[in-house]
Amino acid sequence: MIIRSKAPLRLGLAGGGTDVSPYSELFGGAVLNATIDQYAYCTIEETDNGSIVFQANDLDQKVKYKAMPNLPVDGHLDLHKGVYNRIVKQFRIKRPLSFNLFTSCDVPPGSGLGTSSTMVVAILKAFTEWLNLPLGDYDMARLAYEIERIDLGLSGGKQDQYAATFGGFNFIEFHDNDRVIVNPLRIKRWIIDELEVSMVLFYTGDSRSSDKIIREQQKNTSEGKKVHVEATHNIKKNSYVMKELLLKGDILQFCKALGKDWENKKNMASSITTKNIDKIYDAAIKAGAYGGKVSGAGGGGFMIFTVDPVKKLNLINALNQFSGRVLNFHFSDNGCQSWKINNND
């Protein structure tokens, strides 16, 4: 039996950072995001040789173990092992599981599109399909969050797991006690098309770890630093404004609001922007962009720019002068998906 799954990556359009503890517990968070046609993939091949193999093809990493109920978390494909360990423990899997598990992703790690969390969702979805686990969408997103943030102790927010699981345009609210409410947005097709043609997604070429940036944000919130907390408040307020603009189809004002969000975001932590990011941003503005921001925690990865579609080629040409690359994309309606293939002849 072969099981496959895929989960979509997301663009953080507004509110990013308000989903990170302790801000979300103290003040409540709100994030506007949308999934795109770039994915994390997982394949599980059931075997009978008494071994477990994890292989990340895009990272050129492979680990192999004897089939056992708990695998060592030692810095080698820990996301993969974290999902396996939690499933065996939580669902009390008694029979030895013997399998090969392969993963890959359409974009590099540290890209700011939620790659790590999306990969966890994709792996979890494949196991759910294989073992017929009783997990609904909320259950799966919550479990993916717990695996990454609690079991593995990795820093980050809560939005990515829910975006990858549910898919589409969502306005997600975060409350204390880790309570999350996903509000799917019913947006007319012409609005999505107009937004899509008004956006440029640019990979800076700099992969980064979000851990340091997020820990600085958490420290600033815990210490009640006024500039940081006020900036995060403004980002949350702007997420409500941008949600309304999007639903109404006021794409021009939505595009301009994206730039305002970036000014606040830079005040959340000192390492969110870099000299290279600032150069790219300035060149984009000179080429006619309304505004832009770094997707995700910051520090590198992908940047999102908005522009009059008539001037889009000018913007792309300006960005192509840097060492990164423009990524063509479309918005995706679907969340994580899985399916089985019977390979018995």
Side-chain angles (χ1 to χ4, degrees), residues 54-191:
F54 293 114
Q55 183 169 325
N57 292 325
D58 53 335
L59 303 179
D60 196 26
Q61 294 184 34
K62 180 179 179 179
V63 293
K64 182 177 180 179
Y65 302 92
K66 290 183 179 179
M68 61 182 77
N70 188 271
L71 301 176
V73 177
D74 54 9
H76 300 287
L77 299 183
D78 285 347
L79 292 178
H80 303 56
K81 290 181 285 187
V83 176
Y84 169 80
N85 288 345
R86 181 61 177 269
I87 285 174
V88 172
K89 179 181 178 181
Q90 180 165 326
F91 296 97
R92 300 178 181 178
I93 307 297
K94 300 299 183 183
R95 64 184 177 93
L97 297 179
S98 179
F99 60 91
N100 300 326
L101 187 148
F102 306 90
T103 59
S104 63
C105 190
D106 284 333
V107 302
S111 64
L113 302 182
T115 50
S116 295
S117 300
T118 304
M119 182 59 72
V120 171
V121 170
I123 297 171
L124 183 56
K125 184 69 172 178
F127 274 111
T128 300
E129 180 77 28
W130 180 26
L131 303 173
N132 295 313
L133 302 179
L135 292 174
D137 287 348
Y138 271 101
D139 300 321
M140 182 168 297
R142 170 70 188 188
L143 184 55
Y145 164 76
E146 290 183 358
I147 291 169
E148 195 173 6
R149 304 291 175 242
I150 300 174
D151 296 358
L152 298 175
L154 300 174
S155 298
K158 304 180 182 73
Q159 68 162 312
D160 297 344
Q161 297 87 353
Y162 289 85
T165 302
F166 283 82
F169 283 81
N170 291 296
F171 188 75
I172 310 177
E173 298 172 288
F174 306 91
H175 304 279
D176 57 359
N177 299 317
D178 289 329
R179 189 165 60 93
V180 180
I181 300 174
V182 179
N183 304 283
L185 301 182
R186 297 180 62 184
I187 302 173
K188 294 180 180 179
R189 186 68 241 181
W190 75 265
I191 297 176

Side-chain angles (χ1 to χ4, degrees), residues 14-77:
T18 69
D19 60 317
V20 176
S21 300
Y23 183 89
S24 57
E25 282 78 16
L26 294 172
F27 307 104
V31 167
L32 174 66
N33 60 33
T35 50
I36 60 175
D37 59 350
Q38 302 289 308
Y39 299 91
Y41 304 91
C42 179
T43 292
I44 294 177
E45 295 179 352
E46 189 175 12
T47 63
D48 57 4
N49 58 13
S51 67
I52 295 173
V53 176
F54 293 114
Q55 183 169 325
N57 292 325
D58 53 335
L59 303 179
D60 196 26
Q61 294 184 34
K62 180 179 179 179
V63 293
K64 182 177 180 179
Y65 302 92
K66 290 183 179 179
M68 61 182 77
N70 188 271
L71 301 176
V73 177
D74 54 9
H76 300 287
L77 299 183

Side-chain angles (χ1 to χ4, degrees), residues 272-286:
I272 283 178
T273 191
T274 65
K275 289 183 179 179
N276 187 46
I277 289 174
D278 290 340
K279 287 181 181 178
I280 295 171
Y281 187 91
D282 291 342
I285 296 300
K286 289 179 181 178

Side-chain angles (χ1 to χ4, degrees), residues 209-239:
S209 171
S210 61
D211 187 78
K212 178 183 176 182
I213 299 171
I214 290 171
R215 288 189 185 278
E216 183 182 349
Q217 290 180 31
Q218 292 173 321
K219 182 174 181 289
N220 290 339
T221 299
S222 298
E223 295 177 354
K225 292 186 177 180
K226 186 175 181 180
V227 172
H228 162 81
V229 174
E230 285 300 319
T232 314
H233 286 339
N234 290 335
I235 284 173
K236 183 173 71 173
K237 291 176 184 176
N238 200 40
S239 70

